[in-house]
Amino acid sequence: MRFQVESGETILLRIINSALNQELFFGVANHNMTVVAVDAAYTKPFTTNVIKIGPGQTTNVLLTANQPPAQYYMAAHAYNSASAPFDNTTTTAILEYNCTTKRNSSKPIFPQLPGFNDTATATAFTAQLRSPSKVDVPVYIDDNLFITVGLGLISCSNPNSPRCQGPNGTRFAASMNNVSFVFPTSNSLMQAYYQGQPGVFTTDFPPVPPIQFDYTGNVSRGLWQPVKGTKLYKLKFGSKVQVVFQDTSIVSVEDHPMHIHGYQFYVVGSGFGNFNPRTDPAKFNLINPPVRNTIGSNPGGWVAIRFVADNPGIWLVHCHIDAHLTWGLAMAFLVENGVGELQTVQPPPLDLPQC
């Protein structure tokens, strides 16, 4: 694909990572980009020659066609933070100046993208994101959750099954606070909640890991197998919520792009290693943190978010790497109704199909 530009003009690129299972580095040969928005929220502008973007994330950049008229590759390849196989191919398009002549159009110029495992560049890009001005970050927290996110292994009843690709007759799993999420089959979560149908889910998702351990160290094999469940966490309408997503080294550390349906949130802090609740909050940005709906947990680290639970209903929280979602890296918030029609879940449409 070719994108035509006039020399000297500034264009807006809306970049979406629609890959199912891969975070990406993206760049345009010989051109800088000015980041102006992420996940449909404006940012304090900053200039970069590469962006890191996870599945489901969006980034808006301004690009000025200020180079000699020619053809320039726009390219993206994997950012792989796990010790696991990945797709190392590169996807491309061409930025072509309209005044390009045959003499200078023979061979498009390719951008210099970071290495596949360049976590330093990925972290540096994310660290530059800020809101354009002061924002109203929740300061006093009602619900404080500490959630481990990561992989695991579960035993296979049939080791010869193609799903059993883990070591020693196991298959890969994923979990949040050691609960591997099971999607209901008899009814949707939202319909079961609205209709008061029992037995579809429970509201006992643990707000902290059931067992504390060295999350990013050498984890005992006894902690590698999660339990299955359809567990939700209940929030009162208007609650001020903090969630710390802590990556683990079980199977492998990894940057998990965590997404919350129905909400945007403030990313107030991040770091590497185990989150320290006594010292790390002092470094939180409570002035102008970026607003996002999907944010990666640092590989072998953590990320902290805050939001106000002002959208009633059931909202899935999950890793946006598709394979991890199917393995169980999910949970859901049940946000109770507030007062009045505007703070209450709307009834389903009259033509809603029956399951």
Side-chain angles (χ1 to χ4, degrees):
M1 178 173 290
R2 295 173 184 271
F3 292 89
Q4 303 287 332
V5 293
E6 298 288 345
S7 184
E9 76 174 340
T10 297
I11 60 173
L12 173 68
L13 298 178
R14 300 181 185 272
I15 303 158
I16 303 169
N17 184 344
S18 58
L20 292 177
N21 291 305
Q22 195 65 66
E23 296 186 291
L24 299 171
F25 287 122
F26 172 88
V28 182
N30 290 11
H31 289 76
N32 284 328
M33 299 170 286
T34 301
V35 177
V36 293
V38 292
D39 294 351
Y42 287 119
T43 65
K44 186 176 182 179
F46 67 92
T47 301
T48 181
N49 61 1
V50 65
I51 69 169
K52 191 271 283 186
I53 185 166
Q57 288 184 325
T58 66
T59 303
N60 292 4
V61 301
L62 297 176
L63 181 146
T64 299
N66 56 7
Q67 296 299 304
Q71 298 181 90
Y72 299 88
Y73 271 121
M74 312 163 72
H77 74 195
Y79 164 52
N80 184 61
S81 57
S83 299
F86 65 98
D87 183 348
N88 65 358
T89 58
T90 301
T91 184
T92 60
I94 292 176
L95 185 76
E96 183 176 70
Y97 284 59
N98 279 336
C99 51
T100 301
T101 64
K102 289 183 179 180
R103 181 171 56 84
N104 55 20
S105 65
S106 58
K107 190 174 182 180
I109 302 168
F110 205 85
Q112 289 185 327
L113 294 176
F116 294 120
N117 62 347
D118 191 344
T119 293
T121 294
T123 305
F125 172 80
T126 303
Q128 294 183 81
L129 294 170
R130 297 282 188 275
S131 287
S133 58
K134 189 178 186 301
V135 291
D136 189 15
V137 184
V139 175
Y140 301 103
I141 301 301
D142 301 308
D143 290 88
N144 195 347
L145 290 84
F146 179 75
I147 301 178
T148 55
V149 294
L151 306 181
L153 299 172
I154 58 176
S155 299
C156 276
S157 56
N158 178 14
N160 296 320
S161 168
R163 299 182 66 189
C164 298
Q165 299 178 0
N168 303 319
T170 61
R171 69 183 180 90
F172 291 109
S175 67
M176 299 175 66
N177 274 356
N178 203 47
V179 179
S180 187
F181 191 78
V182 178
F183 284 89
T185 57
S186 61
N187 204 351
S188 73
L189 294 172
M190 191 63 195
Q191 283 181 268
Y193 168 56
Y194 190 86
Q195 297 165 358
Q197 178 183 352
V200 176
F201 62 83
T202 60
T203 55
D204 57 346
F205 180 85
V208 295
I211 299 175
Q212 294 185 356
F213 58 96
D214 181 2
Y215 309 110
T216 56
N218 187 13
V219 182
S220 166
R221 279 298 185 103
L223 299 175
W224 282 37
Q225 181 162 320
V227 296
K228 294 183 178 181
T230 309
K231 296 179 182 289
L232 281 56
Y233 187 85
K234 188 179 291 187
L235 296 170
K236 291 187 179 298
F237 185 92
S239 293
K240 297 173 178 61
V241 185
Q242 175 175 292
V243 182
V244 175
F245 293 114
Q246 171 71 61
D247 183 36
T248 77
S249 59
I250 297 175
V251 180
S252 173
V253 298
E254 188 163 359
D255 188 322
H256 295 281
M258 300 302 299
H259 175 64
I260 302 181
H261 288 205
Y263 284 90
Q264 288 185 307
F265 47 76
Y266 299 108
V267 183
V268 297
S270 64
F272 288 91
N274 298 333
F275 175 73
N276 187 326
R278 293 182 297 276
T279 59
D280 286 327
K283 297 175 281 187
F284 283 178
N285 176 7
L286 303 180
I287 306 300
N288 62 344
V291 177
R292 305 218 64 160
N293 61 41
T294 305
I295 186 64
S297 62
N298 286 331
W302 55 271
V303 64
I305 66 171
R306 291 185 179 185
F307 64 96
V308 178
D310 56 4
N311 190 7
I314 291 181
W315 303 105
L316 195 67
V317 183
H318 66 94
C319 177
H320 232 302
I321 294 177
D322 194 61
H324 296 178
L325 174 58
T326 60
W327 291 348
L329 213 167
M331 54 85 70
F333 287 126
L334 192 165
V335 181
E336 297 178 314
N337 289 333
V339 178
E341 182 179 359
L342 296 180
Q343 298 181 4
T344 302
V345 172
Q346 295 182 355
L350 297 177
D351 60 349
L352 180 70
Q354 296 297 311
C355 289

